[in-house]
Amino acid sequence: MAIETVITREMLAHFLELQHKKKEVETEIDELKRAFNEYFDLSVGKNAKGEMVLREYKLQRQIRNSVKFKQQQTVKKLEELNLLDLIEKKPDEEKIRSAIQLGLLHEEDLEGCKTVNTSQAIYVKYLSSK
């Protein structure tokens, strides 16, 4: 098996230089995101979506929530409710959601079984002049 790709010292040096620049850029982006999130925390509240337009730029913060069922509590509750078809080795979230939609299960039945994770996303868009 012949190796046809040529690796040069310059390629390796350039790679390391780019890696270093990448780290610097990511650090700077993280600092700007922190500032944007702080602005929105103060202006619209923590974990609230918001947006602002500054000339030709639009800054938005969107909030995403993800809900996960706590494994032990959910399995126990489903067993108590005799809904064993909804249990695999762990709670089957898709089947649970379907059962809720069909009315076989109520959100209140699983109280204390879910965790909600929240994440913040920052978007910057260039708005071309029209």
Side-chain angles (χ1 to χ4, degrees):
M1 180 193 287
I3 299 176
E4 296 182 25
T5 303
V6 176
I7 305 294
T8 65
R9 180 184 182 282
E10 288 76 20
M11 289 169 68
L12 296 174
H14 188 60
F15 179 85
L16 286 177
E17 180 183 339
L18 291 174
Q19 286 285 89
H20 182 70
K21 285 181 183 177
K22 176 183 171 188
K23 190 172 184 175
E24 287 177 356
V25 167
E26 287 174 347
T27 299
E28 199 169 331
I29 287 173
D30 287 343
E31 288 171 6
L32 289 168
K33 283 182 180 180
R34 250 188 306 282
F36 298 154
N37 278 312
E38 187 175 301
Y39 167 82
F40 284 122
D41 285 349
L42 295 171
S43 64
V44 296
K46 283 190 181 284
N47 295 323
K49 71 179 184 175
E51 78 175 46
M52 68 168 288
V53 174
L54 189 59
R55 294 189 184 174
E56 68 273 17
Y57 294 97
K58 182 185 207 179
L59 175 64
Q60 291 180 298
R61 175 167 78 177
Q62 296 179 351
I63 302 298
R64 297 184 191 109
N65 291 317
S66 65
V67 176
K68 297 279 185 194
F69 290 94
K70 297 176 186 174
Q71 187 169 340
Q72 287 181 322
Q73 294 93 323
T74 306
V75 168
K76 182 179 178 188
K77 183 62 80 170
L78 292 171
E79 287 172 345
E80 289 171 5
L81 295 169
N82 200 27
L83 293 170
L84 303 178
D85 291 350
L86 304 182
I87 303 171
E88 291 180 353
K89 293 257 181 187
K90 59 180 182 170
D92 187 324
E93 294 185 21
E94 191 173 309
K95 287 183 181 180
I96 292 171
R97 285 189 187 89
S98 295
I100 291 170
Q101 286 180 341
L102 293 171
L104 302 172
L105 181 63
H106 301 284
E107 291 274 347
E108 310 84 62
D109 295 332
L110 297 174
E111 191 136 336
C113 295
K114 296 188 272 184
T115 59
V116 176
N117 295 320
T118 302
S119 63
Q120 301 171 336
I122 293 290
Y123 297 95
V124 176
K125 296 178 184 173
Y126 178 75
L127 303 176
S128 58
S129 52
K130 297 174 181 170

